[in-house]
Amino acid sequence: MAGALEQIGEWWSLLIVRECTLGTTRFDDFQQRLGIARNVLTTRLNTLLEHGVLVKVVAEGSERRTEYRLTEKGEALYPIIVGLMQWGDEWCSSRKPIRLVEDSTGKPVEPVSLRVGPRTLGLRDVRLEAGEGATARTAEIIDARNKAILGK
Amino acid sequence: MAGALEQIGEWWSLLIVRECTLGTTRFDDFQQRLGIARNVLTTRLNTLLEHGVLVKVVAEGSERRTEYRLTEKGEALYPIIVGLMQWGDEWCSSRKPIRLVEDSTGKPVEPVSLRVGPRTLGLRDVRLEAGEGATARTAEIIDARNKAILGK
């Protein structure tokens, strides 16, 4: 997640990505809808462009304007954005403002969760193991986590 | 997600929650592992306590020290934290440092995704609909999003 953090930067960046998933593409629209300082927005957009989360395109048509669009890498954040929305709906608000459904069937999108086949897992159902990129430090963190959370 | 944002505050808060999922409970350990200024950490911890994401407990045993622990509401953020980790592993790093498995079976935890039954959905498979908490403004956002992303 440190990697993800560096790439996304901070909350403003995730909110910008969220705005993109809502169809916002223009600087002024991001600025207005997020109520974010223009210089902060510029910095965030540039970071997201540098990291390939967004791409800058010139819109078709007579009025040739710049648009910011999600890349495949950016769209891969959608489950996280939806998960945050669902978390907010479940824990922070009384009545859900937005419902997500599968476009082709109208069936409700399920809550974002940790799964193994049909099973939904919580914090204590998960064990960490060292991956091929694990360092000695990672191994320490993994051991400490499994001891603290799983008691082993 | 605005609700979620207010509650989590910003990145530091999500990193604090992540540290909790790694078994960190003590102020000094958060401070050291996050390399965060003590005053910022204090502010963030208090925000998370106020919003019921964390709870402060006095540890058992001779050395009676304060510990910060995730509430059920806080643990409900785990899929988002794992999703960010998985995103970072897939898009930002070459070799995964950590593998998540189901403790009871050793089976790998699946990528966090949007699901309807067996189907995984992307941004363009999802349609937004007004929930019971939708305002006129929400309805505008929903319409604009579905037009922009689904072309209808």
Side-chain angles (χ1 to χ4, degrees):
Chain A
M1 181 161 148
L5 176 69
E6 286 153 23
Q7 301 257 332
I8 307 184
E10 33 86 313
W11 270 115
W12 280 123
S13 300
L14 203 57
L15 287 183
I16 290 167
V17 171
R18 172 176 176 259
E19 277 305 317
C20 294
T21 68
L22 292 172
T24 302
T25 59
R26 302 179 62 172
F27 187 94
D28 291 347
D29 294 335
F30 287 112
Q31 206 269 318
Q32 185 196 349
R33 291 180 64 161
L34 293 171
I36 179 177
R38 297 181 74 84
N39 62 328
V40 177
L41 177 58
T42 300
T43 307
R44 289 283 130 242
L45 285 171
N46 288 337
T47 305
L48 291 167
L49 289 167
E50 282 164 26
H51 290 303
V53 173
L54 295 183
V55 63
K56 212 168 174 177
V57 298
V58 174
E60 301 296 318
S62 55
E63 183 198 355
R64 295 177 61 260
R65 63 165 191 266
T66 299
E67 294 188 341
Y68 297 88
R69 297 196 170 277
L70 289 171
T71 60
E72 185 185 0
K73 178 178 178 176
E75 289 191 7
L77 287 166
Y78 195 48
I80 289 153
I81 287 168
V82 171
L84 278 167
M85 191 193 78
Q86 292 170 331
W87 183 83
D89 285 345
E90 180 171 1
W91 294 97
C92 314
S93 64
S94 49
R95 299 156 68 233
K96 307 186 193 324
I98 297 178
R99 223 175 16 235
L100 271 68
V101 301
E102 183 178 31
D103 184 41
S104 59
T105 66
K107 290 183 179 171
V109 172
E110 297 166 15
V112 168
S113 61
L114 297 189
R115 310 257 308 236
V116 171
R119 296 184 297 283
T120 297
L121 308 187
L123 180 62
R124 282 167 205 73
D125 302 314
V126 172
R127 184 173 74 247
L128 303 194
E129 293 183 348
E132 70 263 22
T135 61
R137 177 64 187 138
T138 317
E140 287 173 20
I141 291 171
I142 290 170
D143 289 343
R145 184 275 180 191
N146 289 336
K147 279 195 186 65
I149 306 296
L150 304 178
K152 59 187 178 188
Chain B
M1 181 161 148
L5 176 70
E6 287 153 21
Q7 301 257 331
I8 306 185
E10 32 89 310
W11 270 114
W12 280 124
S13 300
L14 202 58
L15 287 184
I16 290 168
V17 171
R18 173 175 176 258
E19 277 306 315
C20 293
T21 68
L22 291 173
T24 301
T25 59
R26 302 179 62 171
F27 187 95
D28 290 347
D29 293 336
F30 287 113
Q31 206 268 319
Q32 186 196 351
R33 292 181 64 162
L34 293 171
I36 178 176
R38 297 181 74 86
N39 61 329
V40 177
L41 177 58
T42 301
T43 307
R44 289 284 128 240
L45 286 171
N46 289 337
T47 305
L48 292 168
L49 289 167
E50 283 163 25
H51 290 303
V53 173
L54 296 183
V55 62
K56 211 168 176 177
V57 298
V58 175
E60 301 296 319
S62 55
E63 182 198 357
R64 296 179 59 259
R65 62 166 190 266
T66 299
E67 294 188 341
Y68 297 88
R69 297 196 171 276
L70 289 171
T71 60
E72 184 186 0
K73 178 178 178 176
E75 289 191 6
L77 286 166
Y78 195 48
I80 289 153
I81 286 167
V82 170
L84 277 167
M85 191 195 78
Q86 292 170 332
W87 183 83
D89 285 345
E90 180 171 0
W91 295 96
C92 314
S93 64
S94 48
R95 298 157 69 234
K96 307 187 194 323
I98 297 178
R99 231 181 4 242
L100 271 68
V101 301
E102 183 178 32
D103 184 40
S104 59
T105 66
K107 291 183 178 173
V109 172
E110 297 167 15
V112 168
S113 62
L114 298 188
R115 310 258 307 238
V116 171
R119 296 184 296 283
T120 298
L121 309 187
L123 180 62
R124 283 168 205 72
D125 303 314
V126 172
R127 185 173 73 246
L128 303 194
E129 293 182 348
E132 70 262 24
T135 61
R137 177 64 186 139
T138 317
E140 286 173 19
I141 290 171
I142 289 170
D143 289 344
R145 184 275 179 189
N146 289 336
K147 278 197 186 64
I149 305 296
L150 304 178
K152 59 187 177 186

